[in-house]
Amino acid sequence: MKNKLKTVKPPKIAPYSKAHERYLKKLRNDKIFVISFQVVILFTFIGLWELLTATKVIDPFFVSSPSRVFNMFISLVEDGTIWRHIGITLLETIVGFAIATLGGTLIAILLWWNKRLRRILEPYIVVLNSLPKIALGPIIILWVGSGMSAIITMCVLICIVLTTISMLNAFNSCDADKIQLMKSMHANKFQIFWKLILPNATDEFISVLKINVGMSWVGTIMGEYLSSSAGLGYLIVYGSQIFKIDLVMTSTVLLCLLAALMYLAICLIQKWHSR
Amino acid sequence: MSAMLEFKDVNFFYQTKAAEIHALKDLNFTVEEQSFASIVGPSGCGKTTILSLIAGLLKKSSGRILLNGKEIEENDWRIGYMFQRDHLFEWRTIWQNVILGIELNKPKDADKKKEFAQQLLKKYDLYDFISSKPRSLSGGMRQRVALIRTLVMEPALLLLDEPFSALDFQTRLKVCDDVYEIIKSEQKTAVLVTHDISEAISMSDKIIVLSSRPATVKHVQMLNLNGETPLSRREDPTFGALFDLIWKKLTNEKQTQNS
Ligand SMILES: Nc1ncnc2c1ncn2[C@@H]1O[C@H](COP(=O)(O)OP(=O)(O)OP(=O)(O)O)[C@@H](O)[C@H]1O
Ligand SMILES: [Mg+2]
């Protein structure tokens, strides 16, 4: 049925006149300008860092240096340990992220479905949301044991409450008239949720994904600070304890890269969705 | 012509924390089979409430609402409801929007209904946009899609709640004509709620003028203007006089409301 239908292609964007051509050129130049400045800032930062430490203006013992970071990275790659640390942190983050996002959304669905339950639980959710989750660290370790399960729990705790609140808001912000329309077409509650409320909340869901990417890294690293024997957070703590700033910096840089990559993945999902 | 829809002493109250709101009071009117009736009345008098009662979205407090002589029931497919805004789902294509009713209710003759949907889309110049998203359509086109979405389930009675008020004047006249044409050629009965007296006169066989809340029927005007389309009826020599009459009935009401 559907594939029989004709597709209407949007018109190709092409210059229509001299003015339009100028406009497109300006857009392109703007973009080039912005990107080149971003690159310049990055390299200036790295360059200054290297220069100031090489000339001993600042002490590389405390701030490390780009070349030291690079050498540290190479040696970590050569002895192969770095992959294990990256793998563990990445695993903890992704698992925590997935559990928190799915779990939070499921709870939001439950609370949307049952108004009374929502009203009963509302104050508890508010309190949970304002509680600094790190305070629960010792209790978490007592309850689920130290190590990976504690870290994932911390990560989930940090993300899940906000996910629930945001998704519930998105569900409840659906236009009441649209719900009436569905009812006038005799939709049942499940259909109203599945065909209206849920798709209507996709934009909010994507922004929740973006927030959770950041928050889940916070949760994992915080968890690793608390109790861990491997992972990038562990390397950072360990490095600072033995005054190996090179190790601390290398792990931090890797953390930045990984978080950026994960954020980029979400942006790709968004692009694919809104195409 | 026999009465298709009949309101007999219908009362309706909204319950709110602050008060009980008497929206409809002893309401009586009829709408004949395959006729076009308009409801006009001051803002907030209870027009939308009437349509919601017919559509089964609200339950009357007392009285009787009859469709073809029988009390209306919930989930009656003989009734189609078109809202003020088109409420197309932006994440669905035009086609997916149009077949929403089929998707929700999975009728036995789904294939036949889909074919009918395609016919309607073709007839009203929307077939080329079938796989576009609603955002690429103009306001008038969107409103026509919304009407087709309602028509696909083949209701006998159409409820229209100010379906043109969001459109600019020119589009409005055009869409009025289109919608009127569709309704007449599909042999539907229609109840239109509108603020616009000329729109009511140009489209209807009957105009029901309501008082302010609690709504009662203040005046019923039967019409028989010359002209095939709403636009051509606006040329009828009695149009001006009718406008004045309805206007008086309405504003008269508003004055008593103020004093
Ligand atoms: N859900 C509700 N709860 C309480 N009161 C309501 C509710 N919906 C409508 N009302 C009240 O009932 C009255 C009639 O409302 P209704 O929407 O039917 O008016 P209307 O004639 O359609 O108004 P408008 O011309 O603005 O569309 C209004 O005074 C409104 O304040
Ligand atoms: Mg209304």
Side-chain angles (χ1 to χ4, degrees), chain A residues 112-160:
Chain A
W112 175 85
W113 200 276
N114 192 332
K115 253 207 185 92
R116 207 174 247 173
L117 185 67
R118 187 186 101 212
R119 282 178 46 210
I120 293 172
L121 294 184
E122 208 147 38
Y124 298 100
I125 294 175
V126 170
V127 169
L128 267 183
N129 188 40
S130 44
L131 180 79
K133 273 46 138 208
I134 187 79
L136 299 177
I139 304 176
I140 293 173
I141 293 175
L142 271 180
W143 285 352
V144 302
S146 61
M148 199 182 261
S149 47
I151 294 163
I152 291 176
T153 309
M154 179 58 90
C155 179
V156 170
L157 267 182
I158 283 196
C159 301
I160 199 165

Side-chain angles (χ1 to χ4, degrees), chain A residues 178-187 191 196, chain B residues 89 104:
Chain A
K178 281 205 167 72
I179 298 176
Q180 287 293 74
L181 172 84
M182 289 292 276
K183 282 186 181 160
S184 83
M185 297 179 118
H186 319 321
Q191 287 174 320
L196 172 61
Chain B
F89 294 178
L104 292 174

Side-chain angles (χ1 to χ4, degrees), chain B residues 63-99:
Chain B
R64 305 183 66 188
I65 304 174
L66 305 176
L67 192 67
N68 291 327
K70 279 202 215 104
E71 280 283 344
I72 53 159
E73 295 158 15
E74 258 180 278
N75 295 356
D76 192 331
W77 268 117
R78 288 173 299 174
I79 296 166
Y81 198 161
M82 188 171 163
F83 290 70
Q84 176 170 356
R85 284 177 295 142
D86 54 66
H87 292 305
L88 297 180
F89 294 178
E90 296 298 334
W91 54 89
R92 288 177 161 242
T93 63
I94 297 305
W95 176 251
Q96 290 166 337
N97 267 291
V98 161
I99 60 165

Side-chain angles (χ1 to χ4, degrees), chain B residues 14-33:
Chain B
Y14 279 107
Q15 304 295 346
T16 67
K17 211 164 152 191
E20 190 177 60
I21 297 168
H22 198 175
L24 308 179
K25 188 182 174 195
D26 300 330
L27 206 62
N28 283 291
F29 67 86
T30 59
V31 176
E32 277 65 44
E33 189 107 39

Side-chain angles (χ1 to χ4, degrees), chain B residues 47-49 84 161-162 193:
Chain B
K47 302 181 293 292
T48 300
T49 308
Q84 176 170 356
D161 195 351
E162 304 188 42
V193 163

